[in-house]
Amino acid sequence: MSGEEAFVTLATNDGYAKGAMVLGSSLREHGTTRKLVALVGPHVTEPCGHALRAIFDEVCPVDVLDSGDSARLALMQRPDLGVTFTKLHCWTLTRYDKCVFMDADTMALSNIDELFEREELSAAPDPGWPDCFNSGVFVFRPSVETHEKLLTFCAENGSFDGGDQGVLNSFFNTWATADISKHLPFLYNLSSIAIYSYLPAFKHYGRDAKVVHFLGKSKPWSYTYDVESGKVVDFPEGPQAGLHPDYLRDWWRLYTASVVPLLRRAYGDEPVPSSGMEEGSRDIHEDETASSPSADPPSEASSSPRPMSSEERKQRWEAGQMDYLGDDSFANIERKLDSFLK
Ligand code: UDP
Ligand code: GLC
Ligand code: MN
């Protein structure tokens, strides 16, 4: 028993590597006393590897495992998630007694070291099917034996969702019923998707959130951030966005403050990948090799060209065309809710 404990994440490409950098920075910012480990696939490029090494205690190369189960992944509309089988390699980190795995699209909002008091397999409910745990944040004990059993389980049974969450829920199949101490409060894995499906609960409990999880197709690094205004400029309309603008902005702030300087150093004399890193230009974008011209945040006028009747607004809302930065912004909805509650 080494007595060592670690937070562990995974990135198989540069997009998720940036997520991992923000996650690592958020854990450090909140003063974790545990080690930080990033598992990385071979497609993570060297500049990102460099920045990861500056944040994490260990950056471990791993082979990418892919479920190849396109049929089940299609059901989730996430063909990209077969590679999440790679997550199962976290059980090989046997130099640590206990670990907390966190998806690269999560961000700590406070110190969460108390999670190490929990046992394998502790996790929070999945917002889509709460009798399943969400595998974006979980406590586990590295073990060669468990790792082998998991791989055998995958080979024999596959995964009902085509990704790691299906396998892990089938493998740790008493989670829902056996031991309530293995149920982490939802606040340790607040899926941004859940915020809009139960807004009053978010309003009531949300301030105590400890980890935000940008679950779903849209990730923070898919957007463009305007450094000067401190706003994400291309925040999408429609329910598919599923991201809370405040958390999205917090993610970008941390990325700008803690990650960009590391990437800058890593790229050295090469053309700096993001236009936002250059003096005089203002945006930072996910695609760091393509320098995007500065884009202004949508003005009030462009996001709502004329006052809309409430019937028209209702129709747009029902068609999934919310004006997230304007009339339908979280702040406005909150104000409306407040007026009802008063
Ligand atoms: N992941 C990765 N590369 C991929 C897809 C996923 O490294 O191409 C890792 C990453 O750590 C990610 C996790 O697997 O956070 C789970 O995927 P994702 O977060 O996209 O799933 P979601 O939470 O949206 O269902
Ligand atoms: C989920 C989890 C994610 C997991 C994926 C595939 O929605 O948030 O961590 O990788 O399903 O099973
Ligand atoms: Mn995730």
Side-chain angles (χ1 to χ4, degrees):
M1 286 266 182
S2 67
E4 287 243 89
E5 296 175 333
F7 286 102
V8 180
T9 191
L10 163 70
T12 66
N13 59 40
D14 283 356
Y16 283 96
K18 286 173 200 159
M21 292 170 210
V22 170
L23 167 63
S25 304
S26 70
L27 290 164
R28 293 241 182 264
E29 188 183 44
H30 295 295
T32 182
T33 60
R34 303 319 203 269
K35 289 281 176 12
L36 301 187
V37 178
L39 307 178
V40 293
H43 293 118
V44 172
T45 62
E46 179 40 33
C48 284
H50 178 95
L52 283 169
R53 286 192 296 277
I55 298 167
F56 286 78
D57 295 289
E58 277 193 77
V59 176
C60 309
V62 285
D63 293 334
V64 173
L65 262 186
D66 192 334
S67 72
D69 191 342
S70 50
R72 286 186 173 118
L73 291 165
L75 280 179
M76 291 208 290
Q77 302 184 342
R78 292 294 301 275
D80 51 318
L81 289 189
V83 297
T84 63
F85 267 26
T86 312
K87 223 189 252 187
L88 304 178
H89 288 329
C90 68
W91 265 273
T92 63
L93 295 168
T94 50
R95 54 198 168 281
Y96 299 101
D97 279 346
K98 198 189 276 183
C99 296
V100 173
F101 182 90
M102 297 180 75
D103 268 10
D105 61 343
T106 61
M107 177 172 75
L109 305 173
S110 65
N111 185 296
I112 51 170
D113 286 357
E114 68 273 14
L115 284 179
F116 291 92
E117 290 161 21
R118 306 270 182 160
E119 260 315 317
E120 179 173 280
L121 185 290
S122 293
D126 184 81
W129 196 268
D131 280 346
C132 284
F133 58 83
N134 181 273
S135 62
V137 176
F138 62 88
V139 182
F140 70 101
R141 279 195 183 272
S143 146
V144 173
E145 197 190 335
T146 311
H147 180 242
E148 280 172 8
K149 281 189 187 160
L150 277 165
L151 295 192
T152 308
F153 189 91
C154 286
E156 288 174 357
N157 308 285
S159 161
F160 71 75
D161 73 359
D164 64 293
Q165 181 163 305
V167 176
L168 289 172
N169 272 276
S170 303
F171 190 83
F172 295 100
N173 63 358
T174 60
W175 175 84
T177 50
D179 179 356
I180 194 70
S181 72
K182 294 185 179 176
H183 285 221
L184 298 180
F186 192 59
L187 296 171
Y188 286 98
N189 187 349
L190 173 69
S191 308
S192 42
I193 258 165
I195 294 173
Y196 293 100
S197 51
Y198 196 4
L199 203 50
F202 174 68
K203 194 174 146 45
H204 189 67
Y205 298 110
R207 68 177 62 89
D208 296 326
K210 291 168 189 293
V211 175
V212 62
H213 184 179
F214 298 99
L215 183 149
K217 258 184 228 168
S218 312
K219 301 300 184 195
W221 54 89
S222 320
Y223 300 110
T224 307
Y225 181 71
D226 181 88
V227 182
E228 259 171 38
S229 68
K231 284 188 181 149
V232 174
V233 296
D234 51 353
F235 195 63
E237 292 194 5
Q240 81 287 354
L243 300 179
H244 189 292
D246 290 353
Y247 292 135
L248 185 58
R249 190 203 50 217
D250 292 348
W251 187 95
W252 272 102
R253 280 195 184 149
L254 195 52
Y255 179 76
T256 310
S258 305
V259 173
V260 169
L262 297 173
L263 286 172
R264 232 179 168 169
R265 223 172 299 148
Y267 279 96
D269 289 335
E270 281 176 48
V272 176
S274 159
S275 56
M277 297 177 204
E278 300 294 354
E279 224 51 68
S281 93
R282 308 165 52 216
D283 293 346
I284 296 181
H285 192 265
E286 182 250 325
D287 180 5
E288 300 217 313
T289 48
S291 80
S292 54
S294 71
D296 288 322
S299 64
E300 291 274 311
S302 67
S303 57
S304 53
R306 64 182 167 79
M308 217 186 290
S309 72
S310 74
E311 184 51 32
E312 222 177 320
R313 243 181 96 195
K314 182 168 164 253
Q315 277 169 8
R316 285 188 51 149
W317 178 276
E318 284 168 352
Q321 297 164 351
M322 292 85 163
D323 178 11
Y324 279 116
L325 290 174
D327 279 345
D328 306 319
S329 69
F330 182 75
N332 273 350
I333 292 174
E334 199 175 33
R335 234 173 276 134
K336 190 88 184 162
L337 278 172
D338 277 342
S339 72
F340 288 137
L341 293 172
K342 267 188 197 129

